[in-house]
Structures are given as structure tokens and as C-alpha cells.
Amino acid sequence: MGSKGENEGGFSDNFDDLGMDDPEFDQTPQALDPVYAERIAAYDADCADGAGPATACAHLAEFKGVVLNQWREAARLFELSCYHPRSDYVSPGCVDMGDGTEGYPAACFNLGKLAFSGQKPDIIAQSDAKASEYFARACGGEHTPSCYHLAMLKLEGKGVKRDTEKAVDLLGRACMDSEAMSCFQLGGMLLRRPRIPGTGEKGDVDDLKIPRDPKRAVELLEKGCNMGHAPACFNLSVIYKHGDDGVAADPKKFAIFKSITESLIKQQGGKLEGTQAL
């Protein structure tokens, strides 16, 4: 894996960042800075309606959608970038998909977001199956946020056959490639306690069938915390406050991760959802 949260095309990796639901994105295009307009015109010329480099088409697609609110055209251009005819060489930023095409992973990811969210149903209908197809293609191009979303679909069996083992593998690989949410997600999964039917004992899950591994969870959460993921830091503080199987309580580490959590929450301007006071 190599395409992390910040990819070559500058595309956002968060589902909300394309501005599809933002009322501030009016239907009326605003006057563009001349330098920016010149750059977009260059992308349009380079894309040549799909005949040119996939990266140019992808940049043009984001402009069409976010700035001009022309999402139908944006989706068409993203599709051209995701499934781009292969020439004698692979275009910059693209990956040879081994099927006679090359793909620009960030474009596939943006299509996956559209299919998963269903925010533009008249253009791309909500479909977990189609989203998983796009995410799988982008993940094959080492786009780690796509690997995370594909893993979650496989974990929940949405649009694809449920495959916990593959989901765990994808999350682990994405975490090692610095995808913080994957570190947090997998770390949390390794801390879950199974329910025991008929005993009345509390637990987290019935059928994930993932063995608890607090020591590995700590490693994953520390990696996520080091990338500034506040929930990962919070979970570490809880572990070190109480201890867990194979992980001794450590007041000093508890204090360290508690402080980091509080600092990150303050930076982000609010309370960390789903947590209680330490």
C-alpha cells in the first residue's frame, strides 16, 4: 500500500469533503480566480474527454462537482479516470489493473463514496455492492482509505459476502500504511469481549469470531494515536488505567495518553463522542 490519506491528486478521503450536501455550494458558479480558471482549462484540454491522462480527468471531475455542482458530468469523468484505457505506459498516478485498463485510485474512491452514500441517487444510486466494487478497485491500487471502507463492508456483509478474516487483513495492512481509522477500528475489535448466551454476562459481540488480543490492540492503537487519532489515544488511556490481559495497568502511561487525548479534543474544538471522563 502506498496511497495514504493525502493522495497525489489532492482528493479528500473523508465522505463529507466533496461538499455534496453543503448548502453553500450554490447552483450558480462563482467567478474564478484567473490563475485557477487557467489551471482548470488546462485539465480540460489534457483530459480530452477521456483520451488524455486519467489524472487530468479526475482533477476536472472534482472541479465540475464541487465548484460547478455538475455532478453528473463529474461522475462520468471519475468513471473515465477509474476505468481508463491502458496505453503503452501507465499514466502518472495510475495503477495497471491487469484487465487492459489503468485506474486512478482516488477517482475510484470518489465513485465509491457516491455509491455508498446515495447522496446523488439520480446519478449513482445507493448501492453497497457497487461501492464495494469501486473501493476494491481503489484498494487494489493501494489507496488505503478505500481499503478501510472495503474492510468495513466485508465486516458487515454489506454489498459483499461477509468475510471477517479478509476485513481484519485489510484493516491491518491499512493501519501499517498509516491509515489511522483502520488502526483504531482493528484495535477496538481486538479488545471486544464475546457474549456468552444464557449467562447474562455483558459482552460486545456474538459472532465476529476474532480472538481478543489486547497486546496487539495496544500496538495498533498507539500507531493510530501517534497519527493524532483522539479515540485511539482515549482507548489507550482506558487500557493503561485498568490493565487488560497481557497489558499491566500503568499510571504513568495512563496520564500520558489521557493528556494527549485531552489535548487533541481541545484542538478539535469539542468533546470526544462516545467517551466518558477518565
Side-chain angles (χ1 to χ4, degrees), residues 82-118:
C82 182
Y83 296 89
H84 194 266
R86 173 72 196 280
S87 60
D88 292 337
Y89 65 93
V90 178
S91 300
C94 290
V95 176
D96 185 352
M97 294 299 180
D99 58 358
T101 69
E102 61 183 18
Y104 187 57
C108 304
F109 177 66
N110 283 334
L111 288 168
K113 289 191 290 186
L114 285 166
F116 181 84
S117 67

Side-chain angles (χ1 to χ4, degrees), residues 56-66 70-71 73-75 77-78:
C57 296
H59 284 297
L60 182 62
E62 187 157 272
F63 169 76
K64 292 281 189 179
V66 174
Q70 296 175 358
W71 283 102
E73 177 64 4
L77 290 167
F78 278 138

Side-chain angles (χ1 to χ4, degrees), residues 10-27:
F11 290 100
S12 299
D13 291 324
N14 295 321
F15 269 32
D16 298 331
D17 285 352
L18 283 182
M20 290 181 282
D21 283 344
D22 191 339
E24 295 300 318
F25 283 108
D26 196 349
Q27 309 295 335

Side-chain angles (χ1 to χ4, degrees), residues 217-260:
V218 165
E219 294 174 0
L220 295 166
L221 292 170
E222 285 186 351
K223 188 170 179 63
C225 182
N226 289 337
M227 290 183 277
H229 193 274
C233 303
F234 175 84
N235 282 1
L236 282 168
S237 65
V238 173
I239 292 172
Y240 284 121
K241 181 178 183 179
H242 302 288
D244 206 325
D245 298 336
V247 182
D250 189 324
K252 289 184 178 180
K253 288 186 177 180
F254 161 69
I256 290 172
F257 288 110
K258 178 178 184 289
S259 177
I260 293 173

Side-chain angles (χ1 to χ4, degrees), residues 29 37 46 51 58 67 95 137 144 167 172 181 201 240 257:
D46 289 345
V67 179
V95 176
R137 187 170 174 86
T144 51
M181 191 63 190
E201 293 185 14
Y240 284 121
F257 288 110

